[in-house]
Every structure is written in structure tokens, then in C-alpha cells.
Amino acid sequence: MAITQSVCNSFKSEVLKALHNFSSSSGDTFKIALYTSDASLGPSTTVYTTTGEVSSSGTNYTAGGKTLTNVEPTESGGVGFADFSDVSWSSASFTARGALIYNSTNSNKAVAVLDFGIDRVASSSTFTIEFPTADSDNAIVRVK
């Protein structure tokens, strides 16, 4: 199995069909689920899946992951971008290799796959995903 970091191919056309609303005040609900190295996620991922998800082997992790807080989309230098606030699991004990951001408002449609590069282990500690700076060069979702 493999996790390949990417914006999901299906998301690219869905965003042009106005199927994803990133507005912080009235937008869709986006979630992030964590996965073990047993998962197979990448550009062809179209929806959230429980296959390979941390939930079956973790402490203080719930299937489906956590709800993300949207950072209001904006534009700078000809680049539109959206981002999320960092998310944490406290008192966690699990191993995660990657994550899937998905739109739980819209049929759990996949947005992006994150590959941590190696297994990340939390042992009765806080597991945090830090999103990049919300700007035109670094935001997690950018349209050029």
C-alpha cells in the first residue's frame, strides 16, 4: 500500500462545478482523517474511506477524524487560496502515516492527501497537524 501526497484529481473538476465551499462563515464542513501505512491514498482517491484508517488501532481517535476550521479564502498576486487552522488530538496513542482532507458536507468527497513521509507515532501525547501559512505561496489549497 502507499500514500502519495496530492490534490485529488476529482477535486480539481468538482471545484469548477462549485461543489466545495471553503468560506469560514457559511462554507462546507471539511474533515481530516488519519491513516496507517496500510492505506492506499493518492491522486485517484475520490472519497473518504475507512480502509487503512487509524481508528481501529488508536486511542483518542474517532473514525472520520476531526473537523477542520476553515480560514477564509482570499486572493493575492493572482493566486486564490484556502487553508485550515492546525488540528490536534490530545492524549493520543496511535501511529499515522498520512491523512485525507475531505468534504463531509458534500458526500465525503476527497480534497487532498497528505503523506507524512514516515510513520508518526503519538504515545499518550498530543498529535498535531500544522498547516502551512495561509498565503499564495504556501496554503494547502491554491488556484493559480
Side-chain angles (χ1 to χ4, degrees):
M1 304 289 177
I3 297 177
T4 304
Q5 182 147 324
S6 63
V7 172
C8 298
N9 293 335
S10 57
F11 171 77
K12 294 173 186 178
S13 64
E14 291 165 359
V15 78
L16 296 173
K17 297 173 186 173
L19 296 178
H20 299 276
N21 180 350
F22 288 89
S23 174
S24 60
S25 60
S26 60
D28 296 340
T29 299
F30 293 87
K31 290 188 169 188
I32 188 163
L34 300 176
Y35 291 86
T36 68
S37 58
D38 292 332
S40 183
L41 302 169
S44 62
T45 301
T46 58
V47 295
Y48 160 75
T49 178
T50 58
T51 304
E53 190 176 8
V54 165
S55 62
S56 63
S57 61
T59 300
N60 282 348
Y61 181 86
T62 302
K66 285 208 166 191
T67 299
L68 294 168
T69 301
N70 300 2
V71 174
E72 189 63 28
T74 192
E75 178 276 334
S76 176
V79 178
F81 56 91
D83 214 326
F84 304 101
S85 298
D86 297 348
V87 63
S88 296
W89 287 261
S90 59
S91 302
S93 292
F94 54 73
T95 300
R97 173 59 192 238
L100 175 68
I101 298 170
Y102 67 97
N103 185 337
S104 68
T105 301
N106 193 346
S107 303
N108 294 330
K109 293 181 182 300
V111 173
V113 174
L114 306 178
D115 178 6
F116 302 153
I118 61 171
D119 285 346
R120 301 292 178 171
V121 179
S123 180
S124 297
S125 60
T126 300
F127 186 93
T128 301
I129 295 177
E130 295 179 359
F131 285 97
T133 304
D135 63 26
S136 60
D137 292 322
N138 299 294
I140 198 77
V141 178
R142 289 173 280 155
V143 179
K144 296 182 178 186

